[in-house]
Amino acid sequence: MGKAQFDQHSEDQMLKTENKKMVDSPKAFDAISIPMGIFFTVFFSVVYYLLIRWREKIRNSTPLHVTNMSEMAAIITFCASCIYLLGFFGMNFVQATPFTETEEEDEVEEETTPCGASVIRESDIVSVKEVMKKEVETAIVAIDTVVSEEDEEVIQAVVSGRTPSYSLESKLGDCKRAAFIRRVALERITGKSLEGLPLEGLDYESILGQCCEMPVGYVQIPVGIAGPLLLDGMEFSVPMATTEGCLVASTNRGCKAIYVSGGATSVLLKDGMTRAPVVRFATAKRAADLKFFLEEPLNFGTLASVFNKSSRFGRLQTIRCAIAGKNLYIRFTCSTGDAMGMNMVSKGVQNVLEYLQADFPDMDVIGISGNYCSDKKPAAVNWIEGRGKSVVCEAVIPEEVVKKVLKTDVASLVELNMLKNLTGSAMAGALGGFNAHASNIVSAVYLATGQDPAQNVESSHCITMMEAVNGGKDLHVSVTMPSIEVGTVGGGTQLASQSACLNLLGVKGANRECAGGNARQLAKVVAGSVLAGELSLMSAIAAGQLVKSHMKYNRSSKDVSAKP
């Protein structure tokens, strides 16, 4: 062997020896012996987090720069992990000499550490790389499956304006998918997250065309139960949907006081929904001519026949008119069965207006509603004439119940009611607001049973009366509500949750034995619940318990600080 060959062979042996020492060294082994399970858990968690954040920013058209400490920490951890991986897997490539395939296999198979542990082989490195690749691919697939390619195309079309958001249901034929796509598109357009607004759990088919357009989710409102309410000899568990603490508890106490006193009694005074169109003539005289024609008793039968053709349940009851110059406001009142009846009465009014056009061709119909109805606004006409169901509900509460359950006395309640609900409301110029908080109970029951919550305005018209009876020992309490607008069919009453609450009250759907019976019963339950609520709140105020009870039931110690 020549000198040159000897020197080359010696150099090769030295490099192999150094490489073996480097691998076999206990210190080197200890330096890289961090538990791989922990390392890869941290590494892939950071990678997944960064992918999620970058994906959200790309979707929201937000710059990819670092915006908070968590992202900065994730990037630092990612860089440190890359450096560690480079040192871990690149060590042999930097310091080891190249081998032929045969020599490398023999060398690796023979090497062991001084402590007898096997040296990390290249096959192990390849295996780890494969695991890393699969983990990253899994993370990316998990992100991509959130929005499919097919949905992504539709979302882009909505964001760009090529596809109107309102047309998604008809184009896709899938109401839930339409809600999801609209939701994602809205997040991208506004740059705001809708996290926390539920999407799953609602039958979007059931709201199509009757409850809500362009849905992106639904709002959760807790439902509590007050009762049993003993009303007209029957017990009712009253569902109340509310976010106000103490309301259900207060109403429940009133129900208890009524129950142990023998129950409450209710009477339905009127039942008729109204609609009042406004028409205009060239002169006030012509408007007066139509007024006289409509109010003539001999013409009522013909008008009722025309009106009643619109529905099996809609039956015209009265027509009242009011003139303002050459403008005529015509207030139609009709029964509507178990429906709240706004659409029903509107169709009947349309029929009558078309009929009148023949005899009054100069009549100009300005609007199907002229606010003389009056819907969803406080109005004296509803307070005086009534709208929907007019109900009065009363109960006599014995002196001992007032003291033990309501924690006050009869004289204090009577005085407080006079000065607060009657005199105080008069001083404020209240219109139908001669009560403590009727609106609270009406709104809660309306939301739970699928009524139109905006009609809480006139439905909460209520006057609460309290009087000492039986020699001043007992309390007579009553609520008179002239315009409770409720129905048990149509609208939100057909949704699953609201239907369940109606079923709890025994008034779900249409009454097969007596048309309108379920809606009338629901109106009585509303009035009875208001009676219980008035009784309890007035007692709490009289006893000085209002603030204390609200601090107990309407304040939470839970940390609800807003998250960034």
Side-chain angles (χ1 to χ4, degrees):
M1 180 181 296
K3 182 178 181 181
Q5 293 178 330
F6 178 84
D7 292 341
Q8 181 64 39
H9 178 75
S10 300
E11 185 178 353
D12 292 344
Q13 291 297 327
M14 289 174 63
L15 287 173
K16 291 181 180 180
T17 303
E18 290 297 324
N19 181 61
K20 183 176 180 180
K21 289 180 178 179
M22 180 271 296
V23 176
D24 291 348
S25 171
K27 290 185 178 181
F29 183 82
D30 292 339
I32 62 173
S33 60
I34 297 175
M36 297 307 293
I38 297 176
F39 172 79
F40 283 115
T41 299
V42 174
F43 178 79
F44 288 117
S45 297
V46 170
V47 171
Y48 183 78
Y49 172 78
L50 290 175
L51 288 173
I52 288 291
R53 292 294 299 167
W54 291 337
R55 174 175 172 271
E56 290 178 352
K57 291 182 178 182
I58 291 171
R59 289 173 57 188
N60 297 329
S61 299
T62 304
L64 297 180
H65 59 262
V66 178
T67 57
N68 54 48
M69 293 301 295
S70 60
E71 290 184 4
M72 183 177 294
I75 291 176
I76 292 173
T77 304
F78 176 79
C79 293
S81 300
C82 290
I83 294 172
Y84 181 86
L85 285 174
L86 181 62
F88 184 89
F89 295 116
M91 193 178 303
N92 290 334
F93 296 97
V94 174
Q95 298 186 14
T97 58
F99 294 95
T100 63
E101 291 184 4
T102 306
E103 290 175 335
E104 185 176 2
E105 290 176 358
D106 294 339
E107 193 72 27
V108 171
E109 288 177 357
E110 292 175 359
E111 288 176 349
T112 58
T113 63
C115 59
S118 299
V119 178
I120 298 177
R121 304 185 181 187
E122 185 175 351
S123 58
D124 296 329
I125 297 175
V126 174
S127 177
V128 171
K129 289 181 178 179
E130 291 177 351
V131 172
M132 291 174 59
K133 183 178 180 181
K134 289 180 180 179
E135 291 287 347
V136 173
E137 289 176 351
T138 301
I140 294 174
V141 169
I143 295 172
D144 290 341
T145 54
V146 174
V147 179
S148 66
E149 292 183 3
E150 186 177 0
D151 286 348
E152 182 63 32
E153 293 180 4
V154 183
I155 292 170
Q156 292 294 340
V158 174
V159 172
S160 64
R162 298 194 308 272
T163 298
S165 178
Y166 62 80
S167 67
L168 288 174
E169 280 78 6
S170 60
K171 288 181 177 297
L172 300 176
D174 186 337
C175 293
K176 182 179 179 181
R177 183 185 171 205
F180 168 73
I181 290 174
R182 183 181 296 111
R183 179 191 183 104
V184 175
L186 180 63
E187 289 180 327
R188 295 187 185 181
I189 293 171
T190 63
K192 305 294 184 181
S193 173
L194 288 177
E195 182 181 1
L197 182 68
L199 179 68
E200 300 291 336
L202 179 66
D203 180 9
Y204 291 92
E205 302 286 345
S206 66
I207 69 174
L208 182 64
Q210 71 172 9
C211 291
C212 180
E213 297 75 43
M214 296 187 288
V216 294
Y218 60 96
V219 174
Q220 296 171 311
I221 303 179
V223 177
I225 299 296
L229 170 66
L230 184 56
L231 179 65
D232 300 326
M234 297 183 290
E235 295 184 9
F236 297 93
S237 295
V238 183
M240 301 176 66
T242 180
T243 56
E244 179 183 354
C246 206
L247 179 60
V248 177
S250 176
T251 307
N252 190 65
R253 184 175 75 150
C255 290
K256 179 180 179 182
I258 293 173
Y259 191 96
V260 297
S261 301
T265 303
S266 65
V267 179
L268 185 79
L269 305 175
K270 293 181 181 179
D271 180 10
M273 183 50 65
T274 65
R275 176 58 85 197
V278 54
V279 298
R280 182 173 60 191
F281 290 87
T283 65
K285 182 180 182 304
R286 284 294 291 163
D289 289 342
L290 179 56
K291 178 181 186 298
F292 295 145
F293 178 85
L294 292 172
E295 292 181 346
E296 170 59 51
L298 296 178
N299 295 328
F300 182 81
T302 301
L303 295 174
S305 177
V306 173
F307 184 98
N308 296 343
K309 290 179 180 179
S310 63
S311 171
R312 292 184 301 155
F313 302 102
R315 294 292 177 266
L316 184 63
Q317 296 175 342
T318 61
I319 302 177
R320 297 182 183 276
C321 299
I323 282 185
K326 57 183 182 178
N327 303 300
L328 180 65
Y329 296 83
I330 313 168
R331 194 170 193 258
F332 293 83
T333 304
C334 79
S335 60
T336 58
D338 284 302
M340 184 271 288
M342 287 297 299
N343 293 332
M344 190 183 300
V345 65
S346 295
K347 288 189 292 183
V349 168
Q350 188 66 46
N351 288 347
V352 173
L353 291 177
E354 292 174 357
Y355 171 80
L356 292 174
Q357 203 79 56
D359 292 331
F360 296 86
D362 55 338
M363 178 182 70
D364 184 12
V365 179
I366 303 301
I368 191 68
S369 174
N371 275 9
Y372 187 50
C373 312
S374 174
D375 186 42
K376 302 173 184 176
K377 292 164 284 293
V381 68
N382 291 336
W383 177 241
I384 296 170
E385 297 290 341
R387 188 170 195 256
K389 278 70 174 171
S390 299
V391 181
V392 60
C393 187
E394 65 180 346
V396 175
I397 312 300
E399 180 183 28
E400 60 181 82
V401 176
V402 174
K403 291 182 178 180
K404 292 182 179 180
V405 178
L406 302 176
K407 310 299 180 183
T408 185
D409 58 82
V410 175
S412 296
L413 282 174
V414 172
E415 182 181 32
L416 176 64
N417 186 71
M418 180 186 67
L419 295 178
K420 171 181 166 63
N421 289 342
L422 305 182
T423 308
S425 296
M427 293 295 292
L431 180 59
F434 300 93
N435 57 80
H437 72 149
S439 177
N440 251 340
I441 288 83
V442 172
S443 295
V445 177
Y446 272 28
L447 289 172
T449 57
Q451 311 304 312
D452 188 339
Q455 289 184 325
N456 163 72
V457 176
E458 63 267 38
S459 296
S460 296
H461 282 348
C462 171
I463 182 169
T464 300
M465 302 292 292
M466 292 185 180
E467 180 183 352
V469 295
N470 299 330
K473 293 183 178 181
D474 303 330
L475 176 72
H476 180 276
V477 55
S478 67
V479 292
T480 304
M481 305 179 69
S483 50
I484 301 177
E485 299 163 352
V486 293
T488 58
V489 297
T493 65
Q494 299 182 73
L495 299 179
S497 300
Q498 289 79 348
S499 180
C501 290
L502 289 170
N503 187 57
L504 178 66
L505 292 170
V507 295
K508 176 181 176 181
N511 191 308
R512 298 183 180 277
E513 298 178 358
C514 177
N518 285 350
R520 289 191 287 269
Q521 183 61 66
L522 178 58
K524 291 182 178 182
V525 170
V526 170
S529 302
V530 169
L531 180 69
E534 291 287 283
L535 190 58
S536 182
L537 177 59
M538 292 294 288
S539 299
I541 296 175
Q545 299 172 336
L546 181 63
V547 175
K548 181 180 179 181
S549 61
H550 272 274
M551 292 303 295
K552 178 180 179 181
Y553 291 101
N554 203 23
R555 292 293 183 271
S556 173
S557 59
K558 181 180 179 181
D559 182 10
V560 291
S561 301
K563 296 181 179 179

